[in-house]
Amino acid sequence: KTLEEPPAHVVFIFATTEVHKIPETILSRCLRFDLRPLSVDLIQQHLQKVLELEQIAVDQSSTVRSIAHCARGSVRDGLNLLEQVLALSETKKLTDQLVSLSLGRQQTSQVQNLLKMILDQEHKQLSVLFHEMLQKNVDLETLSMQLHEELYNTLQDHITHKSKIYPLEELFWMFEQMTKDFQWVHKSLSSHHVLHALFLKYALRKT
């Protein structure tokens, strides 16, 4: 009755992530707005503001960005993840190591090393590092996502600063290959073998 004939001075705002559970009788009386997931950049900026207000130190900006990626477009989830990570900190400092431990992500430096070995075609060192990660029970799907993100950042950096460290056509080729290949890695019965073989394929691209 209240929804059918609301007082003139009242506005109801319903927010949900499960709109399919709302009865049609209520939906038909609503002006509906579908909110899209926020970008990683916006979530990162919001988390950084929260950290500044709470006077919590951060070891590097990429640490906050890792949490923003895991939030998958949701500020609420980003704040929950941030709280989860900080619960492990004795000094109330946000570090890449804590994010890795709490969220199952590899440390940014490790992912950067892995990508550098692939780009520099250092397949032997690459195999050693990958097996070290396996010994630490790395989540392969998360690792794939992180490597793809890091390659995208490298590609953007090369375009912005016109770097010639790596040919752009190679970076684009590799980004396209990872986009295709990583979609089915986690579905394999031996994901670690498949992912290792893919890394070697990228590293041995010129042989």
Side-chain angles (χ1 to χ4, degrees):
K1 182 66 176 178
T2 305
L3 289 174
E4 290 178 351
E5 299 178 9
H9 63 281
V10 174
V11 174
F12 292 101
I13 299 178
F14 298 121
T16 181
T17 55
E18 299 180 308
V19 69
H20 60 281
K21 293 185 178 181
I22 306 299
E24 187 62 35
T25 51
I26 294 180
L27 283 178
S28 64
R29 291 171 170 80
C30 295
L31 181 61
R32 177 171 169 175
F33 296 92
D34 290 315
L35 304 181
R36 298 179 180 179
L38 293 181
S39 67
V40 173
D41 288 338
L42 286 175
I43 295 178
Q44 180 182 359
Q45 292 170 16
H46 184 73
L47 295 180
Q48 286 174 333
K49 287 182 180 178
V50 172
L51 290 167
E52 290 172 5
L53 290 172
E54 296 295 330
Q55 298 183 334
I56 296 174
V58 183
D59 61 350
Q60 52 187 336
S61 60
S62 60
T63 303
V64 183
R65 192 167 186 82
S66 294
I67 298 177
H69 271 292
C70 290
R72 299 186 181 278
S74 169
V75 173
R76 177 191 61 190
D77 290 350
L79 291 171
N80 287 339
L81 291 171
L82 178 60
E83 186 177 11
Q84 177 182 324
V85 174
L86 290 174
L88 298 177
S89 175
E90 297 180 356
T91 59
K92 289 301 177 184
K93 180 178 180 180
L94 187 67
T95 66
D96 199 34
Q97 185 176 7
L98 280 177
V99 172
S100 174
L101 178 64
S102 178
L103 305 184
R105 290 174 64 94
Q106 283 294 303
Q107 293 187 46
T108 303
S109 58
Q110 287 285 73
V111 178
Q112 290 173 340
N113 286 339
L114 184 63
L115 179 60
K116 187 176 186 302
M117 290 174 185
I118 291 175
L119 293 174
D120 291 343
Q121 303 178 70
E122 299 174 346
H123 64 280
K124 292 183 179 179
Q125 296 92 321
L126 162 66
S127 294
V128 172
L129 177 58
F130 181 69
H131 284 99
E132 287 178 355
M133 290 179 173
L134 289 180
Q135 294 297 319
K136 297 178 182 178
N137 295 320
V138 61
D139 183 276
L140 297 179
E141 189 173 0
T142 301
L143 176 61
S144 301
M145 180 184 69
Q146 286 185 262
L147 188 66
H148 200 235
E149 292 169 0
E150 193 59 42
L151 177 58
Y152 177 78
N153 293 336
T154 301
L155 184 57
Q156 289 286 77
D157 184 67
H158 271 57
I159 294 173
T160 302
H161 300 99
K162 298 182 179 180
S163 173
K164 295 184 180 180
I165 299 176
Y166 305 108
L168 270 178
E169 58 270 20
E170 282 192 29
L171 295 178
F172 276 117
W173 173 85
M174 194 171 298
F175 186 82
E176 182 179 353
Q177 289 298 309
M178 287 186 181
T179 302
K180 296 176 181 177
D181 295 339
F182 289 170
Q183 292 180 5
W184 53 269
V185 168
H186 67 283
K187 299 177 182 178
S188 171
L189 295 176
S190 54
S191 298
H192 60 292
H193 290 150
V194 174
L195 194 57
H196 185 206
L198 288 175
F199 289 168
L200 290 175
K201 180 183 79 170
Y202 305 147
L204 296 170
R205 59 191 179 277
K206 291 185 178 180
T207 58

